[in-house]
Amino acid sequence: MSYGIADLSIVPMRSEKSERSEMVSQILFGEVFEILEVDEKWVYVRMLHDRYEGWIDRKMYLEVTEEFIGKYKAEVSVLATEVFNIVVKDGDYGNKLVVSGSVFPFFDATTKKMQIGGDTYTLVSKMKDVGIDSLRDLIIGYALMYYNTPYLWGGRSPYGIDCSGLSQIVYRMAGIDLPRDASQQVTLGQNYSFLEEALPGDLPFLVYEPDAISHAGFTVDKNTSIHSHGTGPVAKHQ
């Protein structure tokens, strides 16, 4: 089995091996995946953290060893929790601007160094000082970081995000892994009979088509929610 890691800030994942094909998701800096199929220009990959699959450009990743993946899976992931973060590859010119939700593999809090394959990167911006007194408040705080982010089908970043991308990234930064799509996320957790029962940070799901879950958001209180909708940017609605 071959593996890869994103060494770019954002890598588009597509439904077909074409730049004109639908973008179904995005791979963020430091996220890893299995390589299932290799084409002349494209590779078909499966994400390790949520098993999501799609095509990416063959030039947009770095191949890594099974040994690297074994160590990667054994450690607790450190995620970027600032909206934008600057990292520099040792011995290289310039820097990379990576977004919240990116992974810093083998991160050393003292030196602020990390490993992307055989390359060493240094975080030159600050890490957010995150308290965890209330997991629900933490989730709402992370969700509000994406306020006014434009809606983008398949997006998972502050440059553009869709509804389930928002819920997945926010929960992941809070230490909880969710599947990629709303139709998968709704199968987890506890069901409520009425929206009024939901607590801050819970995910209400909406049905826009018969028997099809197609939208997710965050409950702030019984009158307010945060969500990313196709008609506009991430908003806080009452």
Side-chain angles (χ1 to χ4, degrees), residues 18 47 67 103 107-108 111 174 183 186 194 214 225 237:
S18 167
M47 302 302 300
E67 180 183 7
V103 181
F107 186 74
D108 185 314
T111 63
S183 60
V186 74
F194 301 98
S214 55
S225 65
H237 286 161

Side-chain angles (χ1 to χ4, degrees), residues 17 19 38-43 56-59:
K17 44 187 175 180
E19 278 128 2
V38 179
D39 191 75
E40 181 180 356
K41 186 179 178 183
W42 298 87
V43 292
I56 66 171
D57 190 299
R58 195 169 175 177
K59 301 184 296 295

Side-chain angles (χ1 to χ4, degrees), residues 14-15 23 61-62 90 129 140 156 166 173 181 187:
R14 302 192 180 277
S15 60
M23 186 177 73
Y61 74 97
L62 179 69
D90 289 7
D129 186 13
I140 295 302
R156 295 176 69 231
L166 177 65
M173 287 193 295
D181 291 339
T187 63

